[in-house]
Structure formats: structure tokens, C-alpha cells
mmCIF file of all heavy atoms in Angstrom:
data_model
loop_
_atom_site.group_PDB
_atom_site.id
_atom_site.type_symbol
_atom_site.label_atom_id
_atom_site.label_comp_id
_atom_site.label_asym_id
_atom_site.label_seq_id
_atom_site.Cartn_x
_atom_site.Cartn_y
_atom_site.Cartn_z
ATOM 1 N N GLN T 26 111.743 107.908 86.211
ATOM 2 C CA GLN T 26 111.519 109.250 86.740
ATOM 3 C C GLN T 26 112.180 109.421 88.096
ATOM 4 O O GLN T 26 112.764 110.449 88.381
ATOM 5 C CB GLN T 26 110.018 109.498 86.839
ATOM 6 C CG GLN T 26 109.674 110.835 87.431
ATOM 7 C CD GLN T 26 108.201 110.985 87.813
ATOM 8 O OE1 GLN T 26 107.358 110.163 87.451
ATOM 9 N NE2 GLN T 26 107.863 112.031 88.583
ATOM 10 N N PHE T 27 112.039 108.403 88.962
ATOM 11 C CA PHE T 27 112.669 108.432 90.263
ATOM 12 C C PHE T 27 114.199 108.689 90.172
ATOM 13 O O PHE T 27 114.725 109.532 90.883
ATOM 14 C CB PHE T 27 112.406 107.117 90.976
ATOM 15 C CG PHE T 27 113.000 106.970 92.352
ATOM 16 C CD1 PHE T 27 112.231 107.177 93.485
ATOM 17 C CD2 PHE T 27 114.317 106.631 92.534
ATOM 18 C CE1 PHE T 27 112.784 107.075 94.750
ATOM 19 C CE2 PHE T 27 114.901 106.519 93.771
ATOM 20 C CZ PHE T 27 114.105 106.742 94.904
ATOM 21 N N ILE T 28 114.837 107.976 89.268
ATOM 22 C CA ILE T 28 116.290 108.099 89.100
ATOM 23 C C ILE T 28 116.655 109.492 88.618
ATOM 24 O O ILE T 28 117.625 110.126 89.119
ATOM 25 C CB ILE T 28 116.828 107.019 88.153
ATOM 26 C CG1 ILE T 28 116.591 105.629 88.732
ATOM 27 C CG2 ILE T 28 118.301 107.262 87.856
ATOM 28 C CD1 ILE T 28 117.255 105.413 90.073
ATOM 29 N N PHE T 29 115.880 110.061 87.707
ATOM 30 C CA PHE T 29 116.169 111.406 87.211
ATOM 31 C C PHE T 29 115.951 112.444 88.326
ATOM 32 O O PHE T 29 116.752 113.398 88.443
ATOM 33 C CB PHE T 29 115.274 111.753 86.016
ATOM 34 C CG PHE T 29 115.922 111.408 84.704
ATOM 35 C CD1 PHE T 29 116.133 110.074 84.354
ATOM 36 C CD2 PHE T 29 116.336 112.399 83.846
ATOM 37 C CE1 PHE T 29 116.744 109.749 83.162
ATOM 38 C CE2 PHE T 29 116.953 112.075 82.643
ATOM 39 C CZ PHE T 29 117.153 110.746 82.290
ATOM 40 N N LEU T 30 114.946 112.274 89.121
ATOM 41 C CA LEU T 30 114.691 113.201 90.227
ATOM 42 C C LEU T 30 115.792 113.089 91.269
ATOM 43 O O LEU T 30 116.233 114.090 91.826
ATOM 44 C CB LEU T 30 113.312 112.901 90.853
ATOM 45 C CG LEU T 30 112.854 113.797 91.982
ATOM 46 C CD1 LEU T 30 112.853 115.242 91.542
ATOM 47 C CD2 LEU T 30 111.474 113.374 92.468
ATOM 48 N N LYS T 31 116.236 111.856 91.515
ATOM 49 C CA LYS T 31 117.323 111.663 92.481
ATOM 50 C C LYS T 31 118.611 112.349 92.014
ATOM 51 O O LYS T 31 119.307 113.000 92.810
ATOM 52 C CB LYS T 31 117.550 110.177 92.659
ATOM 53 C CG LYS T 31 118.632 109.799 93.672
ATOM 54 C CD LYS T 31 118.760 108.274 93.779
ATOM 55 C CE LYS T 31 119.881 107.921 94.757
ATOM 56 N NZ LYS T 31 119.998 106.427 94.884
ATOM 57 N N LYS T 32 118.925 112.244 90.707
ATOM 58 C CA LYS T 32 120.108 112.866 90.171
ATOM 59 C C LYS T 32 120.017 114.392 90.221
ATOM 60 O O LYS T 32 121.033 115.091 90.390
ATOM 61 C CB LYS T 32 120.318 112.411 88.721
ATOM 62 C CG LYS T 32 120.788 111.001 88.549
ATOM 63 C CD LYS T 32 120.958 110.687 87.064
ATOM 64 C CE LYS T 32 121.468 109.244 86.879
ATOM 65 N NZ LYS T 32 121.583 108.923 85.416
ATOM 66 N N ALA T 33 118.796 114.905 90.099
ATOM 67 C CA ALA T 33 118.609 116.348 90.024
ATOM 68 C C ALA T 33 118.763 117.061 91.344
ATOM 69 O O ALA T 33 119.118 118.225 91.397
ATOM 70 C CB ALA T 33 117.241 116.674 89.432
ATOM 71 N N GLY T 34 118.473 116.361 92.464
ATOM 72 C CA GLY T 34 118.505 116.983 93.769
ATOM 73 C C GLY T 34 119.551 116.385 94.681
ATOM 74 O O GLY T 34 120.354 115.571 94.309
ATOM 75 N N ASN T 35 119.476 116.841 95.937
ATOM 76 C CA ASN T 35 120.392 116.347 96.949
ATOM 77 C C ASN T 35 119.764 115.298 97.859
ATOM 78 O O ASN T 35 120.434 114.844 98.815
ATOM 79 C CB ASN T 35 120.890 117.536 97.801
ATOM 80 C CG ASN T 35 121.631 118.552 96.964
ATOM 81 O OD1 ASN T 35 122.448 118.187 96.113
ATOM 82 N ND2 ASN T 35 121.383 119.808 97.190
ATOM 83 N N ALA T 36 118.518 114.912 97.590
ATOM 84 C CA ALA T 36 117.852 113.969 98.457
ATOM 85 C C ALA T 36 117.271 112.820 97.634
ATOM 86 O O ALA T 36 116.831 113.021 96.482
ATOM 87 C CB ALA T 36 116.726 114.680 99.254
ATOM 88 N N THR T 37 117.249 111.660 98.223
ATOM 89 C CA THR T 37 116.617 110.482 97.602
ATOM 90 C C THR T 37 115.109 110.604 97.725
ATOM 91 O O THR T 37 114.612 110.762 98.842
ATOM 92 C CB THR T 37 117.083 109.174 98.231
ATOM 93 O OG1 THR T 37 118.506 109.069 98.101
ATOM 94 C CG2 THR T 37 116.428 107.975 97.582
ATOM 95 N N PRO T 38 114.351 110.557 96.627
ATOM 96 C CA PRO T 38 112.882 110.709 96.722
ATOM 97 C C PRO T 38 112.258 109.556 97.557
ATOM 98 O O PRO T 38 112.770 108.442 97.639
ATOM 99 C CB PRO T 38 112.435 110.661 95.273
ATOM 100 C CG PRO T 38 113.640 110.999 94.481
ATOM 101 C CD PRO T 38 114.782 110.461 95.253
ATOM 102 N N ILE T 39 111.074 109.824 98.069
ATOM 103 C CA ILE T 39 110.209 108.808 98.630
ATOM 104 C C ILE T 39 109.421 108.200 97.484
ATOM 105 O O ILE T 39 108.963 108.907 96.585
ATOM 106 C CB ILE T 39 109.275 109.433 99.703
ATOM 107 C CG1 ILE T 39 110.130 109.979 100.871
ATOM 108 C CG2 ILE T 39 108.264 108.393 100.193
ATOM 109 C CD1 ILE T 39 109.294 110.804 101.833
ATOM 110 N N LEU T 40 109.243 106.882 97.513
ATOM 111 C CA LEU T 40 108.521 106.201 96.447
ATOM 112 C C LEU T 40 107.213 105.620 96.980
ATOM 113 O O LEU T 40 107.202 104.834 97.946
ATOM 114 C CB LEU T 40 109.392 105.047 95.903
ATOM 115 C CG LEU T 40 108.835 104.267 94.738
ATOM 116 C CD1 LEU T 40 108.557 105.126 93.510
ATOM 117 C CD2 LEU T 40 109.810 103.121 94.330
ATOM 118 N N LEU T 41 106.091 106.003 96.389
ATOM 119 C CA LEU T 41 104.775 105.518 96.740
ATOM 120 C C LEU T 41 104.263 104.569 95.655
ATOM 121 O O LEU T 41 104.178 104.964 94.482
ATOM 122 C CB LEU T 41 103.771 106.666 96.907
ATOM 123 C CG LEU T 41 104.183 107.815 97.860
ATOM 124 C CD1 LEU T 41 103.029 108.807 97.980
ATOM 125 C CD2 LEU T 41 104.603 107.307 99.229
ATOM 126 N N LEU T 42 103.895 103.366 96.028
ATOM 127 C CA LEU T 42 103.421 102.363 95.073
ATOM 128 C C LEU T 42 101.994 101.952 95.461
ATOM 129 O O LEU T 42 101.784 101.107 96.348
ATOM 130 C CB LEU T 42 104.336 101.127 95.062
ATOM 131 C CG LEU T 42 105.825 101.408 94.814
ATOM 132 C CD1 LEU T 42 106.649 100.157 95.028
ATOM 133 C CD2 LEU T 42 106.046 101.976 93.420
ATOM 134 N N ASP T 43 101.009 102.558 94.827
ATOM 135 C CA ASP T 43 99.628 102.330 95.176
ATOM 136 C C ASP T 43 99.036 101.195 94.340
ATOM 137 O O ASP T 43 99.072 101.256 93.115
ATOM 138 C CB ASP T 43 98.813 103.607 94.945
ATOM 139 C CG ASP T 43 97.410 103.528 95.509
ATOM 140 O OD1 ASP T 43 97.140 102.677 96.374
ATOM 141 O OD2 ASP T 43 96.533 104.335 95.080
ATOM 142 N N ASP T 44 98.507 100.193 95.014
ATOM 143 C CA ASP T 44 97.902 99.052 94.327
ATOM 144 C C ASP T 44 98.902 98.407 93.381
ATOM 145 O O ASP T 44 98.587 98.075 92.247
ATOM 146 C CB ASP T 44 96.660 99.517 93.561
ATOM 147 C CG ASP T 44 95.702 98.389 93.266
ATOM 148 O OD1 ASP T 44 95.807 97.319 93.898
ATOM 149 O OD2 ASP T 44 94.842 98.537 92.365
ATOM 150 N N LEU T 45 100.098 98.194 93.857
ATOM 151 C CA LEU T 45 101.204 97.761 93.006
ATOM 152 C C LEU T 45 100.960 96.428 92.367
ATOM 153 O O LEU T 45 101.270 96.209 91.177
ATOM 154 C CB LEU T 45 102.502 97.727 93.851
ATOM 155 C CG LEU T 45 103.721 97.116 93.147
ATOM 156 C CD1 LEU T 45 104.122 98.015 91.965
ATOM 157 C CD2 LEU T 45 104.894 97.001 94.117
ATOM 158 N N PHE T 46 100.451 95.444 93.116
ATOM 159 C CA PHE T 46 100.485 94.052 92.629
ATOM 160 C C PHE T 46 99.312 93.674 91.753
ATOM 161 O O PHE T 46 99.297 92.612 91.166
ATOM 162 C CB PHE T 46 100.560 93.136 93.846
ATOM 163 C CG PHE T 46 101.678 93.494 94.778
ATOM 164 C CD1 PHE T 46 101.446 94.064 96.000
ATOM 165 C CD2 PHE T 46 103.005 93.334 94.373
ATOM 166 C CE1 PHE T 46 102.478 94.417 96.853
ATOM 167 C CE2 PHE T 46 104.028 93.681 95.218
ATOM 168 C CZ PHE T 46 103.804 94.231 96.441
ATOM 169 N N ASP T 47 98.289 94.551 91.683
ATOM 170 C CA ASP T 47 97.127 94.234 90.834
ATOM 171 C C ASP T 47 97.542 94.107 89.376
ATOM 172 O O ASP T 47 98.334 94.951 88.876
ATOM 173 C CB ASP T 47 96.098 95.303 90.988
ATOM 174 C CG ASP T 47 94.829 95.034 90.209
ATOM 175 O OD1 ASP T 47 94.332 93.888 90.260
ATOM 176 O OD2 ASP T 47 94.321 95.969 89.556
ATOM 177 N N LYS T 48 97.087 93.067 88.691
ATOM 178 C CA LYS T 48 97.311 92.824 87.278
ATOM 179 C C LYS T 48 98.713 92.323 86.931
ATOM 180 O O LYS T 48 99.068 92.214 85.757
ATOM 181 C CB LYS T 48 97.008 94.101 86.450
ATOM 182 C CG LYS T 48 95.579 94.594 86.601
ATOM 183 C CD LYS T 48 95.376 95.933 85.890
ATOM 184 C CE LYS T 48 93.972 96.463 86.144
ATOM 185 N NZ LYS T 48 93.785 97.830 85.581
ATOM 186 N N LEU T 49 99.540 92.067 87.953
ATOM 187 C CA LEU T 49 100.883 91.549 87.713
ATOM 188 C C LEU T 49 100.998 90.119 88.188
ATOM 189 O O LEU T 49 100.469 89.756 89.235
ATOM 190 C CB LEU T 49 101.921 92.400 88.440
ATOM 191 C CG LEU T 49 102.135 93.818 87.974
ATOM 192 C CD1 LEU T 49 103.053 94.568 88.914
ATOM 193 C CD2 LEU T 49 102.641 93.858 86.557
ATOM 194 N N ASP T 50 101.700 89.292 87.384
ATOM 195 C CA ASP T 50 101.893 87.914 87.833
ATOM 196 C C ASP T 50 102.962 87.866 88.912
ATOM 197 O O ASP T 50 103.691 88.818 89.156
ATOM 198 C CB ASP T 50 102.291 87.020 86.641
ATOM 199 C CG ASP T 50 103.568 87.490 85.951
ATOM 200 O OD1 ASP T 50 104.619 87.546 86.632
ATOM 201 O OD2 ASP T 50 103.498 87.810 84.745
ATOM 202 N N ALA T 51 103.028 86.721 89.612
ATOM 203 C CA ALA T 51 103.908 86.605 90.776
ATOM 204 C C ALA T 51 105.363 86.824 90.423
ATOM 205 O O ALA T 51 106.126 87.402 91.221
ATOM 206 C CB ALA T 51 103.733 85.210 91.367
ATOM 207 N N THR T 52 105.748 86.409 89.232
ATOM 208 C CA THR T 52 107.167 86.583 88.802
ATOM 209 C C THR T 52 107.520 88.048 88.701
ATOM 210 O O THR T 52 108.602 88.491 89.176
ATOM 211 C CB THR T 52 107.447 85.853 87.478
ATOM 212 O OG1 THR T 52 107.137 84.454 87.668
ATOM 213 C CG2 THR T 52 108.900 86.008 87.091
ATOM 214 N N ARG T 53 106.664 88.837 88.085
ATOM 215 C CA ARG T 53 106.932 90.263 87.904
ATOM 216 C C ARG T 53 106.905 90.979 89.263
ATOM 217 O O ARG T 53 107.707 91.912 89.518
ATOM 218 C CB ARG T 53 105.939 90.908 86.944
ATOM 219 C CG ARG T 53 106.109 90.383 85.531
ATOM 220 C CD ARG T 53 105.363 91.204 84.484
ATOM 221 N NE ARG T 53 105.444 90.569 83.171
ATOM 222 C CZ ARG T 53 105.651 91.195 82.041
ATOM 223 N NH1 ARG T 53 105.791 92.502 82.019
ATOM 224 N NH2 ARG T 53 105.692 90.558 80.893
ATOM 225 N N VAL T 54 105.984 90.566 90.130
ATOM 226 C CA VAL T 54 105.927 91.165 91.461
ATOM 227 C C VAL T 54 107.231 90.949 92.196
ATOM 228 O O VAL T 54 107.794 91.848 92.813
ATOM 229 C CB VAL T 54 104.746 90.567 92.262
ATOM 230 C CG1 VAL T 54 104.835 90.962 93.724
ATOM 231 C CG2 VAL T 54 103.414 91.051 91.685
ATOM 232 N N GLU T 55 107.737 89.717 92.140
ATOM 233 C CA GLU T 55 108.993 89.376 92.820
ATOM 234 C C GLU T 55 110.157 90.223 92.265
ATOM 235 O O GLU T 55 110.981 90.734 93.035
ATOM 236 C CB GLU T 55 109.310 87.895 92.695
ATOM 237 C CG GLU T 55 110.540 87.465 93.447
ATOM 238 C CD GLU T 55 110.698 85.954 93.473
ATOM 239 O OE1 GLU T 55 109.882 85.251 92.880
ATOM 240 O OE2 GLU T 55 111.651 85.520 94.150
ATOM 241 N N ARG T 56 110.179 90.381 90.963
ATOM 242 C CA ARG T 56 111.251 91.169 90.358
ATOM 243 C C ARG T 56 111.156 92.646 90.802
ATOM 244 O O ARG T 56 112.199 93.294 91.035
ATOM 245 C CB ARG T 56 111.215 91.065 88.843
ATOM 246 C CG ARG T 56 111.606 89.731 88.311
ATOM 247 C CD ARG T 56 111.425 89.625 86.812
ATOM 248 N NE ARG T 56 111.785 88.318 86.277
ATOM 249 C CZ ARG T 56 111.177 87.733 85.269
ATOM 250 N NH1 ARG T 56 110.187 88.314 84.688
ATOM 251 N NH2 ARG T 56 111.589 86.532 84.864
ATOM 252 N N ILE T 57 109.933 93.185 90.902
ATOM 253 C CA ILE T 57 109.803 94.576 91.301
ATOM 254 C C ILE T 57 110.211 94.782 92.759
ATOM 255 O O ILE T 57 110.950 95.735 93.081
ATOM 256 C CB ILE T 57 108.338 95.035 91.090
ATOM 257 C CG1 ILE T 57 108.014 95.083 89.592
ATOM 258 C CG2 ILE T 57 108.108 96.403 91.725
ATOM 259 C CD1 ILE T 57 106.542 95.263 89.275
#
């Protein structure tokens, strides 16, 4: 969704990641 919004406008969106790491293993967190 971020990429589509970025393509649609002239500004790069701000990205908010709330409680990002909960329920994710360390490997997936590192990749994100």
C-alpha cells in the first residue's frame, strides 16, 4: 500500500509501525 501511495502522489508517505515486533521471530524482525 505504501508503494502504491508513493507512486500516486508527489511525496513519500510517512510509515507508522505500531507494536511491530510482537509475534514475529528475530529473523523476520531483522528482515523487516
Side-chain angles (χ1 to χ4, degrees):
Q26 177 192 348
F27 179 100
I28 296 302
F29 268 69
L30 182 56
K31 181 179 178 180
K32 288 180 179 179
N35 297 318
T37 300
I39 297 170
L40 181 61
L41 308 184
L42 306 172
D43 190 20
D44 201 18
L45 173 64
F46 307 109
D47 183 45
K48 301 173 184 175
L49 292 174
D50 59 60
T52 301
R53 294 193 186 221
V54 168
E55 183 171 3
R56 289 175 181 146
I57 292 169

